């Protein structure tokens, strides 16, 4: 504001002196014009009077008027020169002040203002940068931890094996899951017959029973095969070597008599079928011979 006030004062001074110079120049031109007119009427330098018949007094008055006009012209010329010099000085001062003001304003907006803003910053950007970097580091660590957890979960999903888990469960609880002892025939009051006996009266019934058992065993075999294939497709894998080893360990861990862990769910049907067919055929043969 101080520079602007000084610039305004210098500008007003320049304008004032310039107006005075213009006014003095106008007055000087008017005085020169009047002096030229008076000199044209009275004549100068002792020449012949241009107007004849004039009295001496009139010539003397005109000469006095010419001298007065000359003095006025000289006075106005001096005033004009003085005002012109003042105007020149005021213009130079105004131009210098104008250049200094422009330089100061430019320096303020280009250099001083950024420095002032930096001083008022009070470390805001550095604090914000540290806070955001800390936040980004925490988020990246969280993302890495989440990714690692997802990879572990994916590995656990890939490692799911129902057959292996089943064999492990059987191995952990051998007493509960090992086959029990075979039921033995309990004779009643001296009855020592431990085989299936056949009589002519029972031959037709036993033959029908044999046919029904064979049909039922065949259907059960087909059904178990379909169930086994369906389980294999559902699980998407076959029992691995680890499952086989686990099954063997389970067999060894059971108490005597050693339990039999079957690799196929329908193997007991085959043994039952062969047992029934063999015994029924034997007894039917004995009955026919008798």
């Amino acid at each position: 504001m101080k520079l602007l006030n000084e610039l305004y004062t210098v500008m007003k001074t320049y304008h004032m002196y310039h107006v005075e110079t213009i006014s003095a120049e106008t007055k000087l031109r008017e005085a020169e014009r009047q002096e030229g007119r008076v000199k044209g009427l009275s004549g100068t330098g002792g020449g012949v009077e241009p107007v004849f018949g004039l009295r001496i007094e009139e010539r003397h008055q005109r000469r006095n008027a010419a001298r007065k006009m000359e003095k006025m012209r000289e006075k106005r010329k001096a005033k004009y020169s003085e005002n012109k010099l003042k105007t020149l000085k005021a213009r130079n001062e105004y131009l210098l002040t104008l250049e200094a003001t422009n330089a100061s304003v430019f320096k303020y907006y280009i250099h001083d203002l950024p420095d002032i803003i930096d001083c008022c910053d009070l470390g805001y950007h550095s604090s914000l940068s540290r806070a955001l970097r800390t936040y980004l580091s925490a988020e990246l660590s969280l993302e890495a931890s989440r990714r690692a957890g997802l990879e572990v979960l994916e590995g656990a999903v890939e490692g799911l094996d129902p057959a292996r888990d089943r064999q492990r469960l059987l191995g952990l609880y051998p007493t509960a899951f090992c086959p029990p002892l075979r039921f033995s025939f309990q004779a009643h009051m001296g009855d020592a017959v431990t085989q299936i006996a056949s009589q002519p009266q029972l031959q037709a019934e036993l033959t029908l029973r044999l046919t029904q058992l064979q049909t039922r065993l065949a259907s059960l075999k087909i059904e178990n095969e379909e169930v086994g294939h369906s389980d294999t497709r559902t699980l998407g894998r076959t029992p691995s070597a680890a499952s086989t080893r686990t099954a063997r360990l389970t067999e060894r861990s059971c108490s005597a008599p050693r339990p039999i862990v079957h690799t196929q769910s329908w193997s007991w049907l085959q043994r039952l079928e062969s047992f029934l067919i063999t015994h029924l055929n034997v007894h039917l043969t004995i009955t026919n011979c008798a």
Side-chain angles (χ1 to χ4, degrees):
M1 291 300 296
K2 182 179 179 181
L3 289 174
L4 295 179
N5 291 332
E6 183 178 356
L7 177 64
Y8 179 76
T9 302
V10 173
M11 182 186 68
K12 294 298 290 184
T13 303
Y14 161 67
H15 289 173
M16 181 183 66
Y17 285 150
H18 188 257
V19 170
E20 291 179 356
T21 301
I22 294 174
S23 177
E25 184 180 7
T26 303
K27 291 180 180 180
L28 176 61
R29 296 291 179 265
E30 180 65 21
E32 289 177 349
R33 186 178 61 80
Q34 291 179 2
E35 182 185 8
R37 187 178 59 182
V38 170
K39 285 183 178 181
L41 293 176
S42 60
T44 57
V48 179
E49 182 68 34
V51 181
F52 298 99
L54 293 177
R55 293 191 296 268
I56 297 175
E57 291 81 5
E58 292 179 358
R59 290 200 302 267
H60 182 69
Q61 289 178 358
R62 289 184 179 182
R63 288 174 182 171
N64 290 335
R67 283 195 294 270
K68 288 180 181 180
M69 294 301 299
E70 184 177 359
K71 289 180 180 180
M72 183 182 295
R73 182 182 63 81
E74 293 295 334
K75 182 179 179 181
R76 290 184 177 180
K77 184 177 181 181
K79 184 67 175 178
Y80 169 71
S81 299
E82 181 183 358
N83 289 334
K84 188 175 181 180
L85 181 61
K86 290 181 179 179
T87 302
L88 180 61
K89 291 181 179 180
R91 185 192 301 115
N92 292 337
E93 185 68 21
Y94 173 58
L95 292 174
L96 291 175
T97 306
L98 181 64
E99 188 66 25
T101 303
N102 290 330
S104 298
V105 172
F106 180 81
K107 179 178 179 297
Y108 172 76
Y109 282 99
I110 300 302
H111 299 286
D112 296 341
L113 192 59
D115 293 339
I116 293 173
I117 294 175
D118 291 339
C119 292
C120 296
D121 188 9
L122 300 177
Y124 168 76
H125 289 84
S126 59
S127 300
L128 180 62
S129 176
R130 288 195 300 269
L132 292 179
R133 288 185 182 278
T134 303
Y135 172 74
L136 290 176
S137 177
E139 286 293 331
L140 291 176
S141 299
L142 179 62
E143 184 66 22
S145 177
R146 185 183 294 110
R147 188 180 298 109
L150 291 177
E151 291 177 356
V152 172
L153 182 60
E154 183 180 5
V157 172
E158 292 294 333
L160 290 177
D161 190 352
R164 182 183 60 192
D165 294 340
R166 182 184 66 248
Q167 294 300 332
R168 182 178 298 176
L169 178 64
L170 295 176
L172 290 175
Y173 303 97
T175 305
F177 295 107
C178 284
L181 298 176
R182 294 174 60 84
F183 294 102
S184 60
F185 178 74
Q186 302 294 327
H188 180 68
M189 298 180 65
D191 187 6
V193 180
T194 59
Q195 301 293 334
I196 297 177
S198 176
Q199 297 294 332
Q201 298 84 355
L202 301 177
Q203 183 176 0
E205 181 181 353
L206 291 175
T207 303
L208 179 61
R209 185 70 177 275
L210 176 61
T211 304
Q212 292 176 350
L213 288 174
Q214 289 177 344
T215 304
R216 179 58 178 167
L217 287 174
S219 63
L220 288 176
K221 181 178 180 180
I222 295 173
E223 182 179 352
N224 277 277
E225 288 178 352
E226 292 178 354
V227 171
H229 291 314
S230 177
D231 291 341
T232 303
R233 288 193 301 270
T234 302
L235 296 176
R237 65 188 70 183
T238 57
S240 59
S243 301
T244 305
R245 290 194 298 270
T246 305
R248 292 175 181 175
L249 292 175
T250 304
E251 293 177 2
R252 295 175 183 176
S253 63
C254 295
S255 58
R258 179 181 298 176
I260 300 175
V261 179
H262 306 291
T263 59
Q264 300 293 338
S265 60
W266 42 267
S267 59
W268 65 275
L269 295 174
Q270 294 177 341
R271 292 199 302 274
L272 178 60
E273 179 184 8
S274 61
F275 173 78
L276 292 176
I277 292 174
T278 301
H279 284 74
L280 287 175
N281 286 332
V282 169
H283 288 285
L284 288 175
T285 302
I286 294 173
T287 303
N288 291 331
C289 292

